[in-house]
Amino acid sequence: MKTPSLVIGYWLLVILLLVSPVRAMSVPPPTSEVVNPTIEYVSSFGLPGSGDRQFNFPYDIDVAMIGDLETGLGNIFVADTGNNRVQRFDADGSYRYQFGNFGNEPGRFNAPDGIAVDFNNQIYVADKDSDRVQCLDIRGNFIREVATGEINYKQINRPMGMDVDHLGNLYVVDSANDRVLKFDEAGNYLGVIGGFGYGLGFFDAPNDVAVDRGQNLYVADTNNNRIQKFDYDGRAILIIGKWGAGDGEFYQPRGVAVDDHLIYVADSGNNRIQILTKEGKFVATFGRKGSKHGEFNGPIGIALGRQGRLYVADTGNNRIVELRVTY
């Protein structure tokens, strides 16, 4: 006959096995990988002006992550906003060519404020003051308008930052309408997130968006001085940061990029770049106000390149800065 203590112990073991999470043999529970990045200045290029390799308040930047002799793996595309054009450079900053000039016709721009390059080497340009997004080929030849006119009962108003996910979907920040719009690779409207407000899931003049491999969105919610994270279905899941100048705090963040582990933010009002985990934990910062190496003047655009390269549109200094992030 079993003693009472043995009976109790047996049933406690059964209950424990029933309510415990089931895990595969030899597979540890999932944990967030800890990374400790270091950031260093590499180089910069550009001067104020309207000539080749010169800029007039460049607002955004993107990098072609696939390519060949024509399309250029790692080539840099800059929305040269004040000059109403796009300039293309090699990964080392050597000038290739430019396209666009002022106007409202197809292939012309009126304050191009955002740029994104997809995996077919199509280039999307947010033509801010013309309230549209244009799609062009690698040489700048007009293909079609993607976002223009009325969408979901509102006219597109001051489109800004954009990103393309691995399925070819395009995300556009419709800044003056405080929302992010989603389109498929053919330009068909798919949905919207956001709206004006201060709580979770709402925006005040957002400026940029980035999407990771898991289809999570990260939005630079500029006037709310924070980054917001959304899942694939557009559900808001995290607010990162608040107003301030301390670690993990923001003042008018205007650019955001993301890789497999980290979020990179152009903390424009604080003249620096901040790096955080995808859970919103601060890990590193770089920069201060100025025009010397390692200094910024209102940085806006930010993009990841190959082998740890991080490119920043240092808008007020009319130049592009290359940093290297190692972890």
Side-chain angles (χ1 to χ4, degrees):
M1 182 178 178
K2 295 178 181 178
T3 65
S5 59
L6 288 175
V7 172
I8 293 170
Y10 170 80
W11 284 110
L12 285 175
L13 177 61
V14 171
I15 292 170
L16 180 62
L17 290 172
L18 288 174
V19 301
S20 296
V22 177
R23 300 195 186 279
M25 292 293 289
S26 302
V27 177
T31 58
S32 296
E33 184 176 351
V34 177
V35 294
N36 295 295
T38 60
I39 316 170
E40 59 180 335
Y41 171 87
V42 177
S43 64
S44 64
F45 63 89
L47 293 168
S50 57
D52 298 347
R53 217 167 179 257
Q54 296 179 340
F55 302 108
N56 185 4
F57 292 97
Y59 266 54
D60 204 7
I61 184 170
D62 203 10
V63 177
M65 296 305 290
I66 62 172
D68 52 30
L69 290 176
E70 167 65 16
T71 57
L73 177 63
N75 274 204
I76 305 163
F77 294 83
V78 179
D80 187 6
T81 306
N83 285 320
N84 297 295
R85 65 183 180 181
V86 172
Q87 294 196 66
R88 178 181 176 180
F89 303 89
D90 289 335
D92 63 359
S94 300
Y95 175 81
R96 295 286 299 276
Y97 57 79
Q98 61 178 282
F99 55 85
N101 48 43
F102 176 74
N104 293 309
E105 299 85 0
R108 294 174 178 253
F109 307 118
N110 187 0
D113 197 283
I115 191 165
V117 184
D118 73 8
F119 293 102
N120 294 313
N121 286 293
Q122 295 181 132
I123 300 167
Y124 296 97
V125 179
D127 196 5
K128 183 184 67 176
D129 287 353
S130 290
D131 298 318
R132 64 183 179 179
V133 173
Q134 297 190 64
C135 178
L136 308 105
D137 69 17
I138 198 72
R139 289 283 178 179
N141 298 304
F142 176 81
I143 298 174
R144 63 181 180 272
E145 288 186 348
V146 178
T148 188
E150 184 179 289
I151 293 179
N152 205 25
Y153 307 107
K154 290 183 179 180
Q155 290 288 128
I156 288 180
N157 194 348
R158 298 174 67 83
M160 293 189 176
M162 300 178 293
D163 201 11
V164 178
D165 68 20
H166 70 276
L167 299 175
N169 298 312
L170 174 70
Y171 300 84
V172 179
V173 173
D174 186 11
S175 182
N177 286 320
D178 305 296
R179 62 184 183 174
V180 176
L181 304 172
K182 182 179 180 180
F183 302 85
D184 67 17
E185 61 183 341
N188 299 307
Y189 169 73
L190 296 179
V192 60
I193 63 171
F196 176 74
Y198 310 106
L200 179 66
F202 295 92
F203 305 124
D204 186 2
N207 268 222
D208 200 12
V209 59
V211 56
D212 66 16
R213 292 190 189 185
Q215 302 294 93
N216 298 297
L217 298 182
Y218 304 80
V219 180
D221 187 7
T222 303
N223 282 0
N224 281 326
N225 299 294
R226 64 191 183 185
I227 304 298
Q228 289 202 65
K229 182 178 180 179
F230 297 79
D231 68 13
Y232 175 75
D233 294 316
R235 292 185 294 256
I237 54 178
L238 184 64
I239 288 176
I240 301 170
K242 61 180 181 179
W243 180 85
D247 293 344
E249 297 176 340
F250 303 109
Y251 179 37
Q252 296 279 293
R254 299 187 66 180
V256 61
V258 62
D259 64 14
D260 288 341
H261 301 287
L262 300 170
I263 308 167
Y264 305 81
V265 180
D267 187 8
S268 305
N270 284 320
N271 298 292
R272 63 184 179 180
I273 304 303
Q274 291 204 70
I275 302 179
L276 307 100
T277 68
K278 289 188 176 179
E279 292 75 37
K281 180 181 177 182
F282 168 85
V283 291
T285 186
F286 182 88
R288 60 184 180 184
K289 185 172 178 59
S291 58
K292 298 177 181 178
H293 293 171
E295 297 179 337
F296 300 106
N297 184 9
I300 296 179
I302 187 168
L304 291 161
R306 303 174 64 223
Q307 300 174 335
R309 292 183 173 99
L310 182 67
Y311 298 97
V312 181
D314 188 9
T315 306
N317 283 323
N318 293 294
R319 65 186 180 186
I320 303 302
V321 175
E322 180 186 339
L323 307 175
R324 179 163 289 112
V325 180
T326 307
Y327 64 87

